[in-house]
Amino acid sequence: MSPKITTELLKQLRQVMKSPKYVQEPVQAYIVPSGDAHQSEYIAPCDCRRAFISGFDGSAGTAIVTEQHAAMWTDGRYFLQAAHQMDNNWTLMKMGLKDTPTQEDWLVSVLPEGSKVGVDPFIIPADQWKRMSKALRSAGHDLVPVKENLIDTIWTDCPQRPCKPLITLDLSYTGVSWRDKIVALRSKMAERKVLWFVVTALDEVAWLFNLRGSDVEYNPVFFAYAVIGMNTIRLFIDGDRMMDPAVREHLQLDSTLEPEFKIQVMPYGSILSELQAVGASLSPKEKVWLSDKASYALTEAIPKAYRYLTPYTPICIAKAVKNASETEGMRRAHIKDAVALCELFNWLEKEVPKGTVTEIIAADKAEEFRSQQKDFVELSFATISSTGPNGAIIHYKPVPETNRTLSVNEIYLLDSGAQYKDGTTDVTRTMHFGTPSAYEKECFTYVLKGHIAVSAAIFPNGTKGHLLDSFARSALWDCGLDYLHGTGHGVGSFLNVHEGPCGISYKTFADEPLEAGMIVSDEPGYYEDGSFGIRIENVVLVIPAETKYNFKNRGSLTFEPLTLVPIQTKMIDVNLLTQKECNWVNDYHQKCREVIGAELERQGRHDA
Amino acid sequence: MSPKITTELLKQLRQVMKSPKYVQEPVQAYIVPSGDAHQSEYIAPCDCRRAFISGFDGSAGTAIVTEQHAAMWTDGRYFLQAAHQMDNNWTLMKMGLKDTPTQEDWLVSVLPEGSKVGVDPFIIPADQWKRMSKALRSAGHDLVPVKENLIDTIWTDCPQRPCKPLITLDLSYTGVSWRDKIVALRSKMAERKVLWFVVTALDEVAWLFNLRGSDVEYNPVFFAYAVIGMNTIRLFIDGDRMMDPAVREHLQLDSTLEPEFKIQVMPYGSILSELQAVGASLSPKEKVWLSDKASYALTEAIPKAYRYLTPYTPICIAKAVKNASETEGMRRAHIKDAVALCELFNWLEKEVPKGTVTEIIAADKAEEFRSQQKDFVELSFATISSTGPNGAIIHYKPVPETNRTLSVNEIYLLDSGAQYKDGTTDVTRTMHFGTPSAYEKECFTYVLKGHIAVSAAIFPNGTKGHLLDSFARSALWDCGLDYLHGTGHGVGSFLNVHEGPCGISYKTFADEPLEAGMIVSDEPGYYEDGSFGIRIENVVLVIPAETKYNFKNRGSLTFEPLTLVPIQTKMIDVNLLTQKECNWVNDYHQKCREVIGAELERQGRHDA
């Protein structure tokens, strides 16, 4: 992987930063955040502005370019990747390390007095704007919105915004109709005394209307906004997608409907002016509900006194608690996914010793097996297929320059998943096709102990996921090992593979309490730079637990693994497991055999 | 315990809330926080305004009185106590429960439009003011400072503010001179580019000058503020305490000193005007450092642009990391404390079966044994001596109305500690003088498992204490049990028994990372309302740990118990312990025997 040469691009950007054609006054710094106008984690090619200007294409990172400097903030998952992808024009700012300055502190340290710092107001979330603007102002600088995105002005071959056809999901998949979701949303709005709710996150729009798209790779979403009033529904979406008869039927666009369920379809680009009109029409005490992560541009459209901002929207919270249809769909999807992986492992066992299987071939083969399963749509993220030292690059994606051949001498880590029409999967298995070293087995077993500690944990209703994070680390900590990422994230139901508002991380303190029906990943790991990576990941469902004393009727919760893919026993040092942990592994494998074995039989895939 | 009758008092308070003599405009609500002007947890009798108006005298709680209502917010430790102490005029707001409104939400729900909410600006911390003021303003109300404390106006027999003599601590106790502490503080100030630092917390003033007092029961502090400049030191303190030759000598008040170490002594009450003068004298970019918990009144004295506010002050952080002299002192204090408790337990074993020992007698006896130890100063908090159902009242203090007799049929919980000139102790033991039931043993053993899980935990440098909290709960959770308080708090060195900035709690997300030399408590519990309470508490020192792989040289930490008081083995169900836990108990008891046994011998206390 050779770094992108950015000297010329940075020169051009620094020119437009001073050009009266684009900025009212010259800006001395320009911020290029990761996201799109919906604060998506995965973004369309046309929104990959930070990758375009810097070369670094990991999923998280913020670039800031000043007249003299160019700096990139990213987290522990991407330190190695960013260092490889960026040229010498860039300084890597390793977030989470003690001596790394925040973006604000760094700006204050490098900017000349009274500087202007520009940013696209559609890309920066309102909460970030507020924090940064305050910090800059207190140091005598100004954060200013630059209407035209300055990267777009120099990005001559920028791809078009995608506008792909939609998929409608019927009740058998979603469990609840979009009308009932609107009714539930309006009741939450009434509870909080707000008149309008603005849906800005793409997965929230998709979930609300029981529609899916493919505008963004891996995430079955489509570019749209929605504004829900107590008697109106406005959907902002482009293209001829609303001409599709299936979509018209699904949304009842041509039916005679009660007016409060009549959907007004409007152009995607008109959201700002429409929202400004809403803002201007409000009477005192009338409120508009937005996520505090909505863009600064949309947030500013509503006068401050009328805004009701929350970190998590009612849709985000409702979406996280899966209903019976969604849970059953997720179960089906995970069974199909396990069948595909069992086939893959069987194939790898046979092929790896021949020395012909590369990381890319293995990833492609995994996709091939998955794509044979019913209702397969696409992958849920770029497959992490990594062997040996590549395994230590936590969010590694094999490319021809780095592509290693799997061998009987190295650990192989596969973190992969798919979108099926009935559910989203995400599973990591770490394996060895020869004989693992004692040290590799030791580390693997600590990771497994952590995985089990979370998966088998029992905790009272109302517990937040971050309180479980240390369980995953305890066995590693005892020996002086740790990993620099969280332990789990929420998983969507045929939606984004990463979703809020719950998770299991030492970093997430704003997570909502875990509830029965929520689905998260459990994925501790251990990484030895330059040598190997280990991660064991299941997707698990929060379920009620039975305990002796039941928390004085407060109730208790635990997890049920939805992922049913065997864990390679060759990697386990059984002496390090307690009896309870041994039982967990045995019970898990028995369930895998029963459920996946039966499905393999049913599909006639006897070989695996 | 019968509730305080507050009908007449509330009537008087509601009158002064409207009286032009005290308020510019009538206030429709008046907030009575817990603290004093220093945001102390333990307060002098003259500052117990919330207890005076409501009857509830727990250590945490906020009263709000409106024209129609009187409401009290407190946390899980005090639900029972507050319900017992308050009459029907009061509504108890149980913090931490899902349906309990915040103070702001409640005010908004009960106040007439455009109300004024009054509060004493010296008592409310600036961060609380900000939050509450914002919430009220957004609902059309106003938070207003009321200069004269309205409780004081109706509190006819309010005691005088104490002004007791000071104790000077020499280097053998403190390890660092006050001059060196000033030098270190100024270097932190220079790092952050601030010109002034305002010391508002009483324990910070005491620590900085190596002085102790006895103005507040249990906390060896004295009423004072300090303002430290780069070349000046101002100490705001009342009374003739500065006339004491030992104090004058200690502070070198009569010596020829470099001007930057010359202490200017000023009246306690002049802090506001002096700080306003500092505020008025500042040039642009000159900053004043304050805790964000300093009072609103003092914070407002510095114009906003010149304030540098942090949640923890550099003194708070320096104070938390004990040096070798302090650690040795803490060790000595804990040995003496254990000697006293061993004597007490020996005495209880003999006396309890006679049926003559009440909770109060036991508490007094504990104090008597402690007071015989060298350098004993006073207790470090009100002894919690509770048997049977009283044990379930987490911060119970026996009074004649509730005083139960210890018996061979009930669990006895003793949470007690002392101030010695060389250190502060805090220890809880739960015991049975007859035969505990299987259920009592089961619960005790889960609590013990949690205690050991924290005490024996190994974790990487930089870990925050709250990440360890779930370790203490895991064994309880597995059986559907939990406790409604945090697991540990920082402990001062001959200072406050509760101190920041570290702790072990599911609630504390703003805690600073644990560092070698910090001292915290480890005190999980289990409480069965109406029946019994269990808690096992040691004070533990954070020490470097030796691990196999040492976190890639990041280093690792663990705890060493400073408390060396035996745990009653009769209460343990050994079958529920792992081998590792058994070993921990045996090793701990061996250390107790060696160290405390030797000291008992040395002191000629052979009986115990």
Side-chain angles (χ1 to χ4, degrees):
Chain A
M1 200 172 354
S2 54
K4 174 166 182 169
I5 304 305
T6 58
T7 311
E8 185 52 34
L9 281 178
L10 288 171
K11 198 172 136 197
Q12 289 172 14
L13 176 60
R14 287 172 177 135
Q15 270 160 5
V16 294
M17 282 162 60
K18 287 180 286 195
S19 158
K21 195 171 156 194
Y22 302 114
V23 289
Q24 287 186 312
E25 279 186 87
V27 296
Q28 283 71 44
Y30 188 66
I31 305 176
V32 188
S34 242
D36 58 15
H38 306 270
Q39 284 63 55
S40 309
E41 182 188 3
Y42 288 77
I43 52 181
C46 60
D47 287 319
C48 295
R49 300 178 180 98
R50 185 250 302 151
F52 168 76
I53 191 70
S54 71
F56 167 54
D57 66 1
S59 73
T62 298
I64 303 185
V65 176
T66 68
E67 283 158 344
Q68 306 289 337
H69 304 91
M72 175 70 68
W73 281 258
T74 190
D75 63 59
R77 295 173 300 175
Y78 292 116
F79 292 167
L80 288 172
Q81 179 180 333
H84 285 150
Q85 294 184 320
M86 299 193 304
D87 70 8
N88 287 336
N89 289 303
W90 291 85
T91 307
L92 177 58
M93 298 293 188
K94 298 182 174 183
M95 289 164 68
L97 300 196
K98 213 178 162 184
D99 295 331
T100 304
T102 63
Q103 294 162 24
E104 298 89 316
D105 286 350
W106 180 80
L107 278 168
V108 170
S109 73
V110 303
L111 286 178
E113 253 177 74
S115 287
K116 303 231 173 285
V117 177
V119 67
D120 180 341
F122 263 99
I123 305 296
I124 189 167
D127 60 345
Q128 261 179 45
W129 171 285
K130 196 174 161 187
R131 198 175 57 240
M132 179 154 285
S133 169
K134 193 178 163 188
L136 290 176
R137 202 167 44 236
S138 84
H141 308 297
D142 258 329
L143 186 62
V144 297
V146 179
K147 269 194 185 165
E148 188 137 8
N149 190 294
L150 296 185
I151 300 295
D152 293 358
T153 67
I154 61 168
W155 193 354
T156 45
D157 55 350
C158 174
Q160 277 223 308
R161 183 162 302 281
C163 194
K164 306 234 182 91
L166 303 183
I167 302 170
T168 62
L169 287 184
D170 65 33
L171 268 183
S172 68
Y173 291 104
T174 65
V176 180
S177 70
W178 64 262
R179 283 180 57 142
D180 287 345
K181 288 180 179 178
I182 295 273
V183 170
L185 173 62
R186 284 184 177 144
S187 114
K188 290 276 171 206
M189 290 162 61
E191 252 175 42
R192 308 288 184 104
K193 296 182 184 138
V194 300
L195 283 190
W196 299 90
F197 178 79
V198 186
V199 198
T200 54
L202 298 184
D203 62 337
E204 297 191 12
V205 180
W207 179 87
L208 182 60
F209 293 103
N210 291 335
L211 291 170
R212 299 295 186 267
S214 54
D215 287 355
V216 178
E217 198 181 8
Y218 308 126
N219 291 175
V221 296
F222 50 93
F223 285 103
Y225 293 100
V227 177
I228 312 300
M230 294 311 276
N231 296 298
T232 54
I233 304 173
R234 293 180 200 161
L235 179 59
F236 298 80
I237 185 166
D238 272 353
D240 51 7
R241 306 192 269 200
M242 289 294 131
M243 294 299 107
D244 178 342
V247 174
R248 295 196 76 78
E249 165 76 27
H250 174 82
L251 295 179
Q252 298 177 269
L253 294 181
D254 305 311
S255 320
T256 325
L257 268 179
E258 306 93 303
E260 67 266 34
F261 294 112
K262 193 85 201 157
I263 298 175
Q264 298 166 259
V265 178
M266 298 181 159
Y268 177 71
S270 67
I271 176 74
L272 183 60
S273 56
E274 284 296 326
L275 211 52
Q276 283 165 337
V278 165
S281 74
L282 297 167
S283 317
K285 295 214 160 183
E286 293 187 349
K287 296 266 182 187
V288 179
W289 196 342
L290 288 137
S291 162
D292 67 2
K293 278 154 216 76
S295 69
Y296 175 73
L298 293 192
T299 308
E300 281 295 297
I302 306 299
K304 203 169 171 187
Y306 301 107
R307 284 178 216 155
Y308 180 73
L309 304 182
T310 56
Y312 297 113
T313 70
I315 296 187
C316 173
I317 292 169
K319 176 165 63 62
V321 183
K322 274 68 176 175
N323 60 42
S325 308
E326 290 170 322
T327 308
E328 279 318 302
M330 285 294 268
R331 275 187 218 283
R332 283 196 307 275
H334 279 84
I335 291 170
K336 294 182 285 187
D337 210 55
V339 164
L341 283 189
C342 286
E343 288 209 291
L344 175 76
F345 295 161
N346 180 46
W347 181 84
L348 286 174
E349 290 281 0
K350 280 189 269 185
E351 299 298 321
V352 168
K354 300 179 189 162
T356 53
V357 182
T358 64
E359 293 167 340
I360 293 179
I361 289 174
D364 289 347
K365 200 75 190 174
E367 181 165 2
E368 183 190 321
F369 284 124
R370 282 189 162 109
S371 68
Q372 295 165 4
Q373 293 295 320
K374 191 180 164 220
D375 276 347
F376 171 86
V377 178
E378 61 172 334
L379 298 185
S380 59
F381 58 96
T383 298
I384 300 173
S385 170
S386 56
T387 187
N390 287 343
I393 303 171
I394 297 178
H395 275 209
Y396 174 80
K397 179 190 162 181
V399 288
E401 296 84 344
T402 62
N403 194 18
R404 284 176 80 87
T405 301
L406 277 62
S407 85
V408 295
N409 302 314
E410 284 182 348
I411 285 184
Y412 175 63
L413 184 159
L414 178 73
D415 185 351
S416 61
Q419 299 287 359
Y420 301 91
K421 220 175 144 185
D422 41 12
T424 302
T425 67
D426 181 1
V427 47
T428 310
R429 287 296 179 265
T430 305
M431 56 210 111
H432 203 293
F433 300 101
T435 307
S437 74
Y439 179 58
E440 288 167 340
K441 286 172 70 175
E442 185 186 357
C443 295
F444 182 92
T445 309
Y446 296 146
V447 173
L448 177 62
K449 285 166 84 80
H451 179 92
I452 296 171
V454 170
S455 195
I458 290 174
F459 46 92
N461 253 332
T463 300
K464 294 183 171 190
H466 69 257
L467 292 170
L468 308 178
D469 184 73
S470 300
F471 289 156
R473 298 176 199 274
S474 181
L476 286 161
W477 281 358
D478 278 346
C479 287
L481 305 174
D482 195 12
Y483 54 96
L484 288 180
H485 59 73
T487 301
H489 52 80
V491 179
S493 175
F494 184 27
L495 261 180
N496 295 358
V497 72
H498 296 162
E499 69 168 28
C502 55
I504 302 174
S505 172
Y506 62 99
K507 287 179 292 191
T508 317
F509 301 132
D511 53 337
E512 288 286 309
L514 292 170
E515 261 183 67
M518 285 180 166
I519 292 178
V520 296
S521 70
D522 169 14
E523 47 178 317
Y526 175 69
Y527 310 91
E528 188 111 341
D529 280 355
S531 166
F532 63 83
I534 291 168
R535 189 161 60 249
I536 304 174
E537 175 186 25
N538 279 353
V539 169
V540 294
L541 171 69
V542 182
I543 57 169
E546 289 193 12
T547 58
K548 203 165 166 188
Y549 302 114
N550 203 30
F551 297 96
K552 298 170 183 163
N553 295 322
R554 187 172 157 203
S556 50
L557 299 171
T558 186
F559 297 110
E560 177 198 330
L562 294 179
T563 305
L564 292 174
V565 177
I567 295 162
Q568 201 181 37
T569 49
K570 184 201 286 186
M571 290 292 294
I572 304 175
D573 181 345
V574 182
N575 298 321
L576 297 176
L577 293 187
T578 63
Q579 190 54 50
K580 219 172 132 187
E581 289 162 344
C582 271
N583 293 347
W584 187 94
V585 172
N586 290 336
D587 292 348
Y588 180 70
H589 279 156
Q590 193 184 332
K591 189 165 178 194
C592 290
R593 263 195 308 277
E594 280 170 17
V595 178
I596 309 307
E599 180 68 14
L600 281 163
E601 291 282 346
R602 210 188 55 72
Q603 295 193 11
R605 298 172 189 265
H606 304 292
D607 213 27
Chain B
M1 195 171 1
S2 53
K4 174 165 181 169
I5 304 304
T6 58
T7 311
E8 185 53 33
L9 282 178
L10 288 171
K11 198 174 135 198
Q12 289 173 14
L13 177 60
R14 287 173 177 135
Q15 270 160 6
V16 293
M17 283 163 59
K18 287 180 286 194
S19 158
K21 195 172 156 194
Y22 302 114
V23 289
Q24 287 187 312
E25 280 185 87
V27 297
Q28 283 71 43
Y30 188 66
I31 305 176
V32 188
S34 241
D36 59 13
H38 305 270
Q39 282 64 55
S40 307
E41 182 189 3
Y42 288 76
I43 52 181
C46 60
D47 287 319
C48 295
R49 299 177 180 100
R50 185 249 303 149
F52 168 75
I53 191 67
S54 71
F56 167 54
D57 66 1
S59 73
T62 299
I64 304 185
V65 176
T66 68
E67 285 157 345
Q68 306 290 336
H69 305 91
M72 176 69 67
W73 279 258
T74 189
D75 63 59
R77 294 173 300 174
Y78 292 116
F79 292 167
L80 287 174
Q81 179 180 334
H84 285 150
Q85 294 184 322
M86 299 192 305
D87 69 8
N88 287 336
N89 289 303
W90 291 86
T91 308
L92 177 58
M93 298 292 189
K94 297 181 174 183
M95 287 165 70
L97 299 196
K98 212 178 162 182
D99 294 331
T100 304
T102 63
Q103 293 162 25
E104 297 90 315
D105 285 350
W106 180 81
L107 278 169
V108 170
S109 74
V110 302
L111 286 178
E113 254 176 72
S115 287
K116 303 232 173 284
V117 178
V119 68
D120 181 341
F122 262 98
I123 305 296
I124 189 168
D127 59 345
Q128 261 180 45
W129 171 284
K130 197 175 160 187
R131 199 175 56 241
M132 178 154 285
S133 168
K134 194 177 161 187
L136 291 176
R137 203 165 44 237
S138 84
H141 308 296
D142 258 328
L143 186 62
V144 296
V146 178
K147 269 194 186 164
E148 186 135 10
N149 191 293
L150 296 186
I151 301 295
D152 294 357
T153 66
I154 61 168
W155 193 354
T156 45
D157 55 349
C158 175
Q160 277 223 309
R161 183 162 302 280
C163 195
K164 307 232 182 94
L166 302 182
I167 302 171
T168 61
L169 288 184
D170 66 31
L171 268 182
S172 67
Y173 290 104
T174 65
V176 180
S177 70
W178 64 262
R179 283 180 56 142
D180 287 346
K181 287 180 179 178
I182 296 273
V183 170
L185 173 62
R186 284 182 177 145
S187 114
K188 290 277 170 204
M189 290 161 61
E191 252 175 42
R192 308 287 184 105
K193 296 181 183 139
V194 300
L195 283 190
W196 299 91
F197 178 79
V198 187
V199 197
T200 54
L202 298 184
D203 63 336
E204 297 191 12
V205 179
W207 179 87
L208 182 61
F209 292 103
N210 291 335
L211 290 170
R212 298 294 186 268
S214 54
D215 287 354
V216 179
E217 198 181 8
Y218 308 127
N219 291 174
V221 296
F222 50 93
F223 285 103
Y225 294 100
V227 176
I228 312 299
M230 294 311 276
N231 296 297
T232 53
I233 303 172
R234 294 181 198 159
L235 179 60
F236 299 81
I237 186 167
D238 273 352
D240 51 6
R241 305 190 269 200
M242 289 294 130
M243 293 300 108
D244 178 343
V247 173
R248 296 196 74 78
E249 166 75 27
H250 174 82
L251 295 179
Q252 296 178 268
L253 294 181
D254 305 310
S255 318
T256 325
L257 269 179
E258 306 93 302
E260 67 266 33
F261 294 111
K262 194 84 200 157
I263 297 175
Q264 299 166 257
V265 178
M266 298 182 160
Y268 177 70
S270 67
I271 177 73
L272 184 60
S273 55
E274 285 296 326
L275 212 52
Q276 282 165 337
V278 166
S281 74
L282 297 166
S283 316
K285 295 214 161 182
E286 293 185 351
K287 297 265 182 187
V288 178
W289 196 343
L290 288 138
S291 161
D292 67 1
K293 278 154 216 75
S295 69
Y296 175 73
L298 293 192
T299 308
E300 282 294 298
I302 306 299
K304 203 170 170 184
Y306 301 106
R307 285 178 216 156
Y308 181 74
L309 304 182
T310 57
Y312 297 113
T313 69
I315 296 187
C316 173
I317 292 169
K319 177 165 62 61
V321 182
K322 273 69 178 176
N323 61 42
S325 308
E326 290 170 321
T327 309
E328 279 318 303
M330 286 294 267
R331 274 186 219 283
R332 283 197 305 275
H334 279 83
I335 291 170
K336 293 182 283 187
D337 210 54
V339 164
L341 282 189
C342 285
E343 288 208 290
L344 174 76
F345 295 162
N346 180 44
W347 182 84
L348 286 175
E349 291 280 0
K350 279 189 268 180
E351 299 299 321
V352 168
K354 299 180 190 162
T356 53
V357 183
T358 65
E359 293 167 341
I360 293 178
I361 290 174
D364 290 347
K365 200 74 190 172
E367 181 165 3
E368 183 190 323
F369 283 125
R370 283 190 162 106
S371 69
Q372 294 165 6
Q373 293 296 320
K374 191 179 165 223
D375 275 348
F376 171 86
V377 178
E378 61 173 333
L379 297 186
S380 58
F381 57 96
T383 297
I384 300 173
S385 170
S386 56
T387 186
N390 288 341
I393 303 172
I394 298 177
H395 274 209
Y396 174 80
K397 180 189 162 182
V399 289
E401 295 83 346
T402 63
N403 195 18
R404 283 176 80 87
T405 301
L406 277 62
S407 85
V408 295
N409 302 314
E410 284 183 346
I411 285 183
Y412 175 62
L413 183 158
L414 179 73
D415 184 351
S416 62
Q419 298 288 359
Y420 301 91
K421 220 175 144 186
D422 41 12
T424 302
T425 66
D426 181 1
V427 47
T428 309
R429 288 296 179 265
T430 305
M431 55 210 113
H432 203 293
F433 299 102
T435 307
S437 73
Y439 178 58
E440 288 167 341
K441 285 172 71 174
E442 184 186 358
C443 295
F444 183 93
T445 308
Y446 296 145
V447 173
L448 177 62
K449 285 166 85 80
H451 179 93
I452 296 171
V454 169
S455 196
I458 291 174
F459 47 91
N461 252 331
T463 300
K464 295 183 171 192
H466 68 257
L467 291 170
L468 309 179
D469 183 73
S470 300
F471 290 156
R473 297 175 200 274
S474 182
L476 285 162
W477 281 358
D478 278 346
C479 289
L481 304 175
D482 195 13
Y483 54 96
L484 287 179
H485 59 73
T487 302
H489 53 81
V491 178
S493 176
F494 185 28
L495 259 181
N496 295 357
V497 71
H498 296 163
E499 70 169 27
C502 55
I504 302 175
S505 172
Y506 61 99
K507 286 179 292 191
T508 316
F509 301 132
D511 53 337
E512 288 286 308
L514 293 170
E515 261 182 67
M518 285 180 168
I519 291 178
V520 295
S521 70
D522 170 14
E523 46 178 318
Y526 175 70
Y527 309 92
E528 188 111 342
D529 281 355
S531 157
F532 63 83
I534 292 167
R535 189 161 59 250
I536 303 173
E537 174 184 26
N538 279 353
V539 169
V540 295
L541 171 69
V542 183
I543 57 168
E546 288 193 12
T547 58
K548 203 163 167 187
Y549 302 115
N550 203 29
F551 297 96
K552 297 171 182 162
N553 296 321
R554 187 174 159 200
S556 49
L557 300 171
T558 186
F559 297 110
E560 178 198 330
L562 294 178
T563 305
L564 292 174
V565 176
I567 295 162
Q568 203 182 34
T569 49
K570 181 201 291 189
M571 290 292 294
I572 303 175
D573 180 346
V574 183
N575 297 321
L576 297 176
L577 293 186
T578 64
Q579 190 54 50
K580 220 172 131 187
E581 289 162 344
C582 271
N583 294 346
W584 187 95
V585 173
N586 291 334
D587 291 350
Y588 180 70
H589 280 155
Q590 194 184 331
K591 190 164 178 196
C592 289
R593 262 194 308 276
E594 279 170 18
V595 177
I596 308 307
E599 180 67 15
L600 280 164
E601 290 283 347
R602 208 188 56 73
Q603 294 194 13
R605 298 172 189 264
H606 304 292
D607 212 27

